[in-house]
Amino acid sequence: MGEAYYLGIEAGGTHLRIAAVERTLKVCSFKKIRSEELSDAGDKAAYLESLMVPYFREMGRENCRCVCLSLASLMDRDRTVCFNSPNIRGFDNLPLKSLLEEQIHIPVEMERDANTELLYEIRRLNLPREGIVAGVYIGTGLGNAVCIDGRAYRGATGSACELGHIPVAGLTEDCGCGKKGCIELKASGRNLQRIAEDLHCPVGEVFIRYAEDEKVQEFITMTALAIATEVTILDPVCVVLGGGVVGMPGFPLKTLTERVKENLRVPDPRASFKLELSSGDPEAGVVGAVINAVTLGR
Ligand SMILES: [Zn+2]
C-alpha cells in the first residue's frame, strides 16, 4: 500500500496542468499540456479521467484522496456546476463535480482559479491564517479573490469577488459580462492591448515606451481605484498582486502603489497598506486546489 495523495488539475484557456500532490504539499510528476484537447473533448469527465490514469497506475487509485480542480469558471456556491468558462469550450452549465465523481468514484472538489492561486500564495508567503487577504490579478480581465481565516470566500450565491465588474460612473461601454461600464473595461490587459494597438506599439513595450501616455495613466488610476475600493471595505492583512500584466517589462508598480495609497484613508489603512507580488509559480493552481480541498476536510 502506497502513500495517500491528491490529484491537482488546473485548466486554463491555454494550458492544463496536472500533478500528484502529497499531504505535505510536495508536488510529484507535474505535467503541463495544451488545453485544446479538453476544449475539443465531447465527454469532459472521460477525457479528464484519461489524464489521471497514469497517476492511478503509478500511485494507486485507492490512495487518491481527492481530485482537486482549479478552473477559470463561474460556479455555483457549492462548487458543483460550472456556469461558463470563457476560454474552454463545452463548460456552460456543466455539472462537472457529479459527472467526474460518477466517472472515477473518487471525491472531487473544484474552485475558481483566482481562489486557488491566492490560497497557494498565502501559504508561500507564510501570511497569518487569521484575517483577510485579498488577491488582485491583472490578466486579460481583472481577477479577484478574498480569503477569510484561510478559506476562500464564495459569497451567498458563489458569485463574490467580481472586483472587475464594479460599476464606474461615466463609463458606458459594454462589458463581456453583459453589463455596461465595469471597471475592467479600463483596468485590464484587454484595455492595454487596445491602447497598444492605437499607439502601434507591441503590448509588451507599452509601459516602457508610453509610461506617460494619458490612456496608460488611466489604466493605472482605474486599477488603483479598484484595489483601493477593496482595501477600504475589507482592511486586509495584505493584497497579493499577480497576473500576466504585472510581469510585463516596466510595469509601474511604484506608481500604482502610490495611487492606491492616495485613495485610502489616514492613518489606516493608508499607513498599513501592504502589497505582495504573486510568485507566478507554475504549480500554484494545482497546489492551491489541493489546499482548498484540505480546508474542506478532504
Ligand atoms: Zn463586467
Side-chain angles (χ1 to χ4, degrees):
M1 216 182 90
E3 289 286 314
Y5 65 96
Y6 299 82
L7 266 184
I9 301 178
E10 181 190 19
T14 315
H15 292 110
L16 187 148
R17 297 170 175 88
I18 179 166
V21 180
E22 292 177 3
R23 216 182 155 88
T24 58
L25 301 183
K26 181 172 173 262
V27 176
C28 322
S29 310
F30 179 83
K31 273 185 232 164
K32 177 176 157 184
I33 59 173
R34 299 198 56 88
S35 44
E36 277 157 4
E37 279 187 35
L38 178 63
S39 267
D40 292 343
D43 186 336
K44 306 297 183 200
Y47 173 74
L48 288 171
E49 187 187 31
S50 75
L51 300 178
M52 299 173 200
V53 165
Y55 292 89
F56 293 155
R57 259 190 221 124
E58 192 181 327
M59 306 179 76
R61 182 183 279 261
E62 69 286 0
N63 297 322
C64 183
R65 293 182 63 104
C66 180
V67 170
C68 315
L69 304 178
S70 169
L71 302 166
S73 179
L74 284 179
M75 297 174 192
D76 63 330
R77 192 188 187 286
D78 295 333
R79 303 312 198 216
T80 61
V81 180
C82 298
F83 293 135
N84 69 38
S85 311
N87 303 314
I88 311 170
R89 283 191 301 282
F91 270 67
D92 287 0
N93 303 314
L94 185 74
L96 186 59
K97 179 179 160 80
S98 60
L99 287 174
L100 203 49
E101 285 180 341
E102 280 159 27
Q103 181 87 22
I104 60 176
H105 306 290
I106 293 171
V108 172
E109 295 293 350
M110 54 189 209
E111 190 46 83
R112 295 161 70 224
D113 58 354
N115 289 352
T116 58
E117 178 168 345
L118 185 57
L119 286 167
Y120 173 86
E121 295 299 333
I122 287 171
R123 192 174 169 104
R124 182 187 68 86
L125 294 162
N126 210 11
L127 296 174
R129 209 186 134 81
E130 210 165 280
I132 294 181
V133 180
V136 175
Y137 305 99
I138 317 170
T140 312
L142 186 70
N144 179 219
V146 169
C147 284
I148 306 178
D149 298 338
R151 280 190 177 224
Y153 180 66
R154 298 175 179 179
T157 62
S159 63
C161 305
E162 291 289 322
L163 185 66
H165 303 282
I166 57 175
V168 178
L171 278 189
T172 53
E173 255 178 279
D174 291 330
C175 177
C177 72
K179 298 198 298 141
K180 284 181 195 295
C182 297
I183 202 161
E184 79 165 34
L185 289 164
K186 299 293 180 189
S188 67
R190 205 180 289 112
N191 182 42
L192 271 185
Q193 180 74 46
R194 234 177 352 230
I195 294 168
E197 279 165 22
D198 290 346
L199 294 167
H200 305 287
C201 168
V203 68
E205 294 172 20
V206 78
F207 290 130
I208 298 172
R209 289 172 54 190
Y210 293 100
E212 299 308 319
D213 179 87
E214 194 186 322
K215 291 204 162 139
V216 173
Q217 287 296 315
E218 185 190 37
F219 159 84
I220 301 168
T221 299
M222 287 300 207
T223 307
L225 291 184
I227 297 171
T229 302
E230 180 134 295
V231 172
T232 301
I233 297 168
L234 299 176
D235 187 15
V237 172
C238 145
V239 172
V240 178
L241 184 69
V245 171
V246 178
M248 278 167 54
F251 178 79
L253 184 62
K254 194 162 165 274
T255 311
L256 177 69
T257 307
E258 283 165 4
R259 227 163 272 178
V260 172
K261 287 187 159 195
E262 282 165 15
N263 288 286
L264 296 177
R265 290 193 69 168
V266 288
D268 287 315
R270 187 185 292 181
S272 56
F273 176 65
K274 207 171 142 215
L275 193 82
E276 295 278 1
L277 289 182
S278 192
S279 64
D281 287 346
E283 71 274 22
V286 295
V287 174
V290 172
I291 296 171
N292 177 61
V294 171
T295 66
L296 298 173
R298 293 294 183 192

